[in-house]
Amino acid sequence: MSRDLENKIAIVTGAARGIGFGIAGKLAEKGATVVISDVNEENARQAADKIKDMGGKATYILADVSDFDQAHNLIQSTIEQQGDLHILVNNAGINRDMMLHKMTKESWDAVIAVNLTGVFNCMQPAAVHMREKEYGRIINISSASYLNGNIGQANYSAAKAGVIALTRTAAKELGKKNVTVNAIVPGFIDTEMTRGVPEKAWDIMVSKISMGRAGKPEDIGNMIAFLASDEASYITQGIFEVGGGMVL
Ligand code: NAI
């Protein structure tokens, strides 16, 4: 694999496991220095160590993205410690699934706080820096439910739709400053989040995938590594499905 991200500094939120770790691994394989950010210190440290064991450059910074100050500190500390910030991947996300008529305000607020406000909290200070430097790549993780909705996921679907609107607006604002902003719509990816669904629901999800299998975190990582590369310098405001042909 070409190391075309050598000298690039990347932050991946929620990178201690799952899709985020798959993304961090691919960016590191391409030579980027990756800041693993998460709320889980043990997993974050292990994730950074794994990347270093594979010959990559990685460190970790703890940050709850739903907290404005912690997210700002993540961006500022990265710039201070690494000297710059070129790539921001907003991946951290949670689900608190329940039918709308049973949904608590707590579960609504928690999902919006992490999955939507968390993306804003990281993008806002990153945009200040990237505008100044006239270089940046921001990639946000949405979900297929943003367009179609998904039973039991009113909070999650609304947050992920917000991420799309945020992505497209930021792309319009930042394009002239050479900052690209894109969104990925993963299909059904094999992670601890999806392993949490009942077996029957797992089978139903897989039956909706043309390729007949769940995706792997690295499948998302490959797309992100491309969007962060020089070859993707004219790609912005895009919404890219990486889901093996999944139709919700
Ligand atoms: P996961 O649950 O396996 O990993 C999420 C990571 O985010 C964990 O390490 C967790 O500690 C961290 N995290 C949670 N809250 C955080 C916070 N407030 N601040 C910082 N980090 C936090 O989830 P998975 O499956 O890897 O999902 C990653 C992203 O992809 C999420 O945004 C999810 O909504 C999205 N997604 C996942 C799909 C799938 O099939 N797995 C499908 C579509 C979207």
PDB file of all heavy atoms in Angstrom, residues 147-172:
ATOM      1  N   LEU A 147     -31.699   8.485   5.873  1.00  0.00           N
ATOM      2  CA  LEU A 147     -32.647   8.775   4.801  1.00  0.00           C
ATOM      3  C   LEU A 147     -33.942   7.977   4.967  1.00  0.00           C
ATOM      4  O   LEU A 147     -35.030   8.503   4.762  1.00  0.00           O
ATOM      5  CB  LEU A 147     -31.994   8.419   3.455  1.00  0.00           C
ATOM      6  CG  LEU A 147     -32.751   8.825   2.204  1.00  0.00           C
ATOM      7  CD1 LEU A 147     -32.972  10.342   2.169  1.00  0.00           C
ATOM      8  CD2 LEU A 147     -31.946   8.419   0.959  1.00  0.00           C
ATOM      9  N   ASN A 148     -33.788   6.718   5.345  1.00  0.00           N
ATOM     10  CA  ASN A 148     -34.943   5.818   5.366  1.00  0.00           C
ATOM     11  C   ASN A 148     -35.562   5.651   6.745  1.00  0.00           C
ATOM     12  O   ASN A 148     -36.641   5.081   6.871  1.00  0.00           O
ATOM     13  CB  ASN A 148     -34.501   4.429   4.872  1.00  0.00           C
ATOM     14  CG  ASN A 148     -33.912   4.517   3.484  1.00  0.00           C
ATOM     15  OD1 ASN A 148     -34.577   4.966   2.557  1.00  0.00           O
ATOM     16  ND2 ASN A 148     -32.660   4.134   3.336  1.00  0.00           N
ATOM     17  N   GLY A 149     -34.857   6.107   7.769  1.00  0.00           N
ATOM     18  CA  GLY A 149     -35.301   5.798   9.125  1.00  0.00           C
ATOM     19  C   GLY A 149     -35.081   4.332   9.414  1.00  0.00           C
ATOM     20  O   GLY A 149     -34.737   3.553   8.517  1.00  0.00           O
ATOM     21  N   ASN A 150     -35.228   3.940  10.658  1.00  0.00           N
ATOM     22  CA  ASN A 150     -35.096   2.522  11.020  1.00  0.00           C
ATOM     23  C   ASN A 150     -35.882   2.300  12.297  1.00  0.00           C
ATOM     24  O   ASN A 150     -35.760   3.092  13.246  1.00  0.00           O
ATOM     25  CB  ASN A 150     -33.612   2.159  11.217  1.00  0.00           C
ATOM     26  CG  ASN A 150     -33.371   0.675  11.118  1.00  0.00           C
ATOM     27  OD1 ASN A 150     -34.152  -0.061  10.506  1.00  0.00           O
ATOM     28  ND2 ASN A 150     -32.294   0.223  11.718  1.00  0.00           N
ATOM     29  N   ILE A 151     -36.689   1.262  12.300  1.00  0.00           N
ATOM     30  CA  ILE A 151     -37.548   1.018  13.463  1.00  0.00           C
ATOM     31  C   ILE A 151     -36.714   0.923  14.743  1.00  0.00           C
ATOM     32  O   ILE A 151     -35.700   0.217  14.766  1.00  0.00           O
ATOM     33  CB  ILE A 151     -38.396  -0.261  13.230  1.00  0.00           C
ATOM     34  CG1 ILE A 151     -39.460   0.030  12.164  1.00  0.00           C
ATOM     35  CG2 ILE A 151     -39.041  -0.734  14.535  1.00  0.00           C
ATOM     36  CD1 ILE A 151     -40.273  -1.184  11.746  1.00  0.00           C
ATOM     37  N   GLY A 152     -37.124   1.651  15.752  1.00  0.00           N
ATOM     38  CA  GLY A 152     -36.424   1.626  17.046  1.00  0.00           C
ATOM     39  C   GLY A 152     -35.290   2.635  17.121  1.00  0.00           C
ATOM     40  O   GLY A 152     -34.599   2.723  18.135  1.00  0.00           O
ATOM     41  N   GLN A 153     -35.088   3.396  16.030  1.00  0.00           N
ATOM     42  CA  GLN A 153     -33.928   4.291  16.003  1.00  0.00           C
ATOM     43  C   GLN A 153     -34.304   5.733  15.634  1.00  0.00           C
ATOM     44  O   GLN A 153     -33.612   6.376  14.845  1.00  0.00           O
ATOM     45  CB  GLN A 153     -32.882   3.764  15.002  1.00  0.00           C
ATOM     46  CG  GLN A 153     -32.239   2.451  15.448  1.00  0.00           C
ATOM     47  CD  GLN A 153     -30.961   2.143  14.688  1.00  0.00           C
ATOM     48  OE1 GLN A 153     -30.943   2.226  13.460  1.00  0.00           O
ATOM     49  NE2 GLN A 153     -29.908   1.794  15.400  1.00  0.00           N
ATOM     50  N   ALA A 154     -35.395   6.235  16.208  1.00  0.00           N
ATOM     51  CA  ALA A 154     -35.786   7.618  15.906  1.00  0.00           C
ATOM     52  C   ALA A 154     -34.672   8.590  16.303  1.00  0.00           C
ATOM     53  O   ALA A 154     -34.326   9.511  15.538  1.00  0.00           O
ATOM     54  CB  ALA A 154     -37.077   7.972  16.639  1.00  0.00           C
ATOM     55  N   ASN A 155     -34.100   8.373  17.489  1.00  0.00           N
ATOM     56  CA  ASN A 155     -33.025   9.266  17.973  1.00  0.00           C
ATOM     57  C   ASN A 155     -31.794   9.164  17.074  1.00  0.00           C
ATOM     58  O   ASN A 155     -31.232  10.163  16.615  1.00  0.00           O
ATOM     59  CB  ASN A 155     -32.685   8.942  19.443  1.00  0.00           C
ATOM     60  CG  ASN A 155     -32.497   7.452  19.719  1.00  0.00           C
ATOM     61  OD1 ASN A 155     -32.535   6.613  18.813  1.00  0.00           O
ATOM     62  ND2 ASN A 155     -32.313   7.100  20.988  1.00  0.00           N
ATOM     63  N   TYR A 156     -31.394   7.935  16.803  1.00  0.00           N
ATOM     64  CA  TYR A 156     -30.178   7.663  16.006  1.00  0.00           C
ATOM     65  C   TYR A 156     -30.345   8.165  14.572  1.00  0.00           C
ATOM     66  O   TYR A 156     -29.454   8.822  14.021  1.00  0.00           O
ATOM     67  CB  TYR A 156     -29.952   6.154  16.042  1.00  0.00           C
ATOM     68  CG  TYR A 156     -28.697   5.637  15.387  1.00  0.00           C
ATOM     69  CD1 TYR A 156     -27.496   5.565  16.102  1.00  0.00           C
ATOM     70  CD2 TYR A 156     -28.713   5.172  14.074  1.00  0.00           C
ATOM     71  CE1 TYR A 156     -26.355   5.050  15.508  1.00  0.00           C
ATOM     72  CE2 TYR A 156     -27.575   4.657  13.476  1.00  0.00           C
ATOM     73  CZ  TYR A 156     -26.392   4.601  14.200  1.00  0.00           C
ATOM     74  OH  TYR A 156     -25.267   4.086  13.615  1.00  0.00           O
ATOM     75  N   SER A 157     -31.498   7.882  13.960  1.00  0.00           N
ATOM     76  CA  SER A 157     -31.735   8.292  12.567  1.00  0.00           C
ATOM     77  C   SER A 157     -31.751   9.811  12.453  1.00  0.00           C
ATOM     78  O   SER A 157     -31.198  10.379  11.491  1.00  0.00           O
ATOM     79  CB  SER A 157     -33.068   7.731  12.060  1.00  0.00           C
ATOM     80  OG  SER A 157     -33.119   6.343  12.263  1.00  0.00           O
ATOM     81  N   ALA A 158     -32.384  10.473  13.424  1.00  0.00           N
ATOM     82  CA  ALA A 158     -32.440  11.936  13.392  1.00  0.00           C
ATOM     83  C   ALA A 158     -31.030  12.520  13.530  1.00  0.00           C
ATOM     84  O   ALA A 158     -30.663  13.468  12.822  1.00  0.00           O
ATOM     85  CB  ALA A 158     -33.350  12.446  14.513  1.00  0.00           C
ATOM     86  N   ALA A 159     -30.237  11.955  14.418  1.00  0.00           N
ATOM     87  CA  ALA A 159     -28.859  12.446  14.593  1.00  0.00           C
ATOM     88  C   ALA A 159     -28.055  12.246  13.313  1.00  0.00           C
ATOM     89  O   ALA A 159     -27.326  13.140  12.867  1.00  0.00           O
ATOM     90  CB  ALA A 159     -28.190  11.714  15.763  1.00  0.00           C
ATOM     91  N   LYS A 160     -28.196  11.067  12.706  1.00  0.00           N
ATOM     92  CA  LYS A 160     -27.399  10.756  11.510  1.00  0.00           C
ATOM     93  C   LYS A 160     -27.855  11.586  10.306  1.00  0.00           C
ATOM     94  O   LYS A 160     -27.042  11.867   9.408  1.00  0.00           O
ATOM     95  CB  LYS A 160     -27.456   9.260  11.208  1.00  0.00           C
ATOM     96  CG  LYS A 160     -26.788   8.382  12.280  1.00  0.00           C
ATOM     97  CD  LYS A 160     -25.302   8.683  12.414  1.00  0.00           C
ATOM     98  CE  LYS A 160     -24.575   7.650  13.272  1.00  0.00           C
ATOM     99  NZ  LYS A 160     -23.139   7.955  13.434  1.00  0.00           N
ATOM    100  N   ALA A 161     -29.127  11.963  10.262  1.00  0.00           N
ATOM    101  CA  ALA A 161     -29.591  12.883   9.211  1.00  0.00           C
ATOM    102  C   ALA A 161     -28.988  14.265   9.442  1.00  0.00           C
ATOM    103  O   ALA A 161     -28.579  14.953   8.494  1.00  0.00           O
ATOM    104  CB  ALA A 161     -31.119  12.956   9.219  1.00  0.00           C
ATOM    105  N   GLY A 162     -28.911  14.653  10.706  1.00  0.00           N
ATOM    106  CA  GLY A 162     -28.280  15.934  11.047  1.00  0.00           C
ATOM    107  C   GLY A 162     -26.822  15.969  10.617  1.00  0.00           C
ATOM    108  O   GLY A 162     -26.323  16.997  10.151  1.00  0.00           O
ATOM    109  N   VAL A 163     -26.149  14.843  10.753  1.00  0.00           N
ATOM    110  CA  VAL A 163     -24.736  14.759  10.343  1.00  0.00           C
ATOM    111  C   VAL A 163     -24.590  15.029   8.842  1.00  0.00           C
ATOM    112  O   VAL A 163     -23.650  15.700   8.406  1.00  0.00           O
ATOM    113  CB  VAL A 163     -24.139  13.374  10.718  1.00  0.00           C
ATOM    114  CG1 VAL A 163     -22.789  13.141  10.037  1.00  0.00           C
ATOM    115  CG2 VAL A 163     -23.989  13.258  12.229  1.00  0.00           C
ATOM    116  N   ILE A 164     -25.538  14.557   8.063  1.00  0.00           N
ATOM    117  CA  ILE A 164     -25.482  14.798   6.611  1.00  0.00           C
ATOM    118  C   ILE A 164     -25.645  16.293   6.321  1.00  0.00           C
ATOM    119  O   ILE A 164     -24.883  16.883   5.546  1.00  0.00           O
ATOM    120  CB  ILE A 164     -26.572  13.980   5.874  1.00  0.00           C
ATOM    121  CG1 ILE A 164     -26.315  12.474   6.033  1.00  0.00           C
ATOM    122  CG2 ILE A 164     -26.656  14.386   4.402  1.00  0.00           C
ATOM    123  CD1 ILE A 164     -25.105  11.931   5.306  1.00  0.00           C
ATOM    124  N   ALA A 165     -26.620  16.923   6.949  1.00  0.00           N
ATOM    125  CA  ALA A 165     -26.847  18.357   6.721  1.00  0.00           C
ATOM    126  C   ALA A 165     -25.639  19.180   7.179  1.00  0.00           C
ATOM    127  O   ALA A 165     -25.239  20.145   6.515  1.00  0.00           O
ATOM    128  CB  ALA A 165     -28.113  18.801   7.453  1.00  0.00           C
ATOM    129  N   LEU A 166     -25.067  18.775   8.296  1.00  0.00           N
ATOM    130  CA  LEU A 166     -23.869  19.450   8.824  1.00  0.00           C
ATOM    131  C   LEU A 166     -22.703  19.292   7.846  1.00  0.00           C
ATOM    132  O   LEU A 166     -21.962  20.249   7.557  1.00  0.00           O
ATOM    133  CB  LEU A 166     -23.551  18.835  10.197  1.00  0.00           C
ATOM    134  CG  LEU A 166     -22.369  19.316  11.015  1.00  0.00           C
ATOM    135  CD1 LEU A 166     -22.379  20.827  11.184  1.00  0.00           C
ATOM    136  CD2 LEU A 166     -22.410  18.639  12.394  1.00  0.00           C
ATOM    137  N   THR A 167     -22.544  18.097   7.326  1.00  0.00           N
ATOM    138  CA  THR A 167     -21.462  17.803   6.364  1.00  0.00           C
ATOM    139  C   THR A 167     -21.591  18.681   5.127  1.00  0.00           C
ATOM    140  O   THR A 167     -20.625  19.312   4.679  1.00  0.00           O
ATOM    141  CB  THR A 167     -21.538  16.316   5.928  1.00  0.00           C
ATOM    142  OG1 THR A 167     -21.386  15.493   7.090  1.00  0.00           O
ATOM    143  CG2 THR A 167     -20.466  15.973   4.904  1.00  0.00           C
ATOM    144  N   ARG A 168     -22.796  18.715   4.580  1.00  0.00           N
ATOM    145  CA  ARG A 168     -22.972  19.426   3.305  1.00  0.00           C
ATOM    146  C   ARG A 168     -22.852  20.942   3.485  1.00  0.00           C
ATOM    147  O   ARG A 168     -22.338  21.643   2.622  1.00  0.00           O
ATOM    148  CB  ARG A 168     -24.294  19.011   2.661  1.00  0.00           C
ATOM    149  CG  ARG A 168     -24.214  17.550   2.196  1.00  0.00           C
ATOM    150  CD  ARG A 168     -25.507  17.022   1.664  1.00  0.00           C
ATOM    151  NE  ARG A 168     -25.782  17.423   0.304  1.00  0.00           N
ATOM    152  CZ  ARG A 168     -25.422  16.739  -0.788  1.00  0.00           C
ATOM    153  NH1 ARG A 168     -24.726  15.624  -0.671  1.00  0.00           N
ATOM    154  NH2 ARG A 168     -25.751  17.154  -1.981  1.00  0.00           N
ATOM    155  N   THR A 169     -23.318  21.438   4.616  1.00  0.00           N
ATOM    156  CA  THR A 169     -23.183  22.867   4.895  1.00  0.00           C
ATOM    157  C   THR A 169     -21.713  23.241   5.085  1.00  0.00           C
ATOM    158  O   THR A 169     -21.223  24.226   4.517  1.00  0.00           O
ATOM    159  CB  THR A 169     -23.987  23.241   6.166  1.00  0.00           C
ATOM    160  OG1 THR A 169     -25.347  22.888   5.944  1.00  0.00           O
ATOM    161  CG2 THR A 169     -23.890  24.723   6.480  1.00  0.00           C
ATOM    162  N   ALA A 170     -21.006  22.446   5.868  1.00  0.00           N
ATOM    163  CA  ALA A 170     -19.579  22.730   6.113  1.00  0.00           C
ATOM    164  C   ALA A 170     -18.790  22.656   4.807  1.00  0.00           C
ATOM    165  O   ALA A 170     -17.883  23.470   4.575  1.00  0.00           O
ATOM    166  CB  ALA A 170     -19.027  21.746   7.137  1.00  0.00           C
ATOM    167  N   ALA A 171     -19.153  21.712   3.937  1.00  0.00           N
ATOM    168  CA  ALA A 171     -18.448  21.592   2.650  1.00  0.00           C
ATOM    169  C   ALA A 171     -18.627  22.878   1.845  1.00  0.00           C
ATOM    170  O   ALA A 171     -17.679  23.382   1.230  1.00  0.00           O
ATOM    171  CB  ALA A 171     -18.976  20.382   1.886  1.00  0.00           C
ATOM    172  N   LYS A 172     -19.841  23.414   1.866  1.00  0.00           N
ATOM    173  CA  LYS A 172     -20.096  24.667   1.135  1.00  0.00           C
ATOM    174  C   LYS A 172     -19.287  25.816   1.722  1.00  0.00           C
ATOM    175  O   LYS A 172     -18.772  26.666   1.001  1.00  0.00           O
ATOM    176  CB  LYS A 172     -21.593  25.021   1.185  1.00  0.00           C
ATOM    177  CG  LYS A 172     -22.415  24.105   0.312  1.00  0.00           C
ATOM    178  CD  LYS A 172     -23.867  24.521   0.255  1.00  0.00           C
ATOM    179  CE  LYS A 172     -24.563  23.661  -0.802  1.00  0.00           C
ATOM    180  NZ  LYS A 172     -25.979  23.902  -0.916  1.00  0.00           N
TER     181      LYS A 172
END
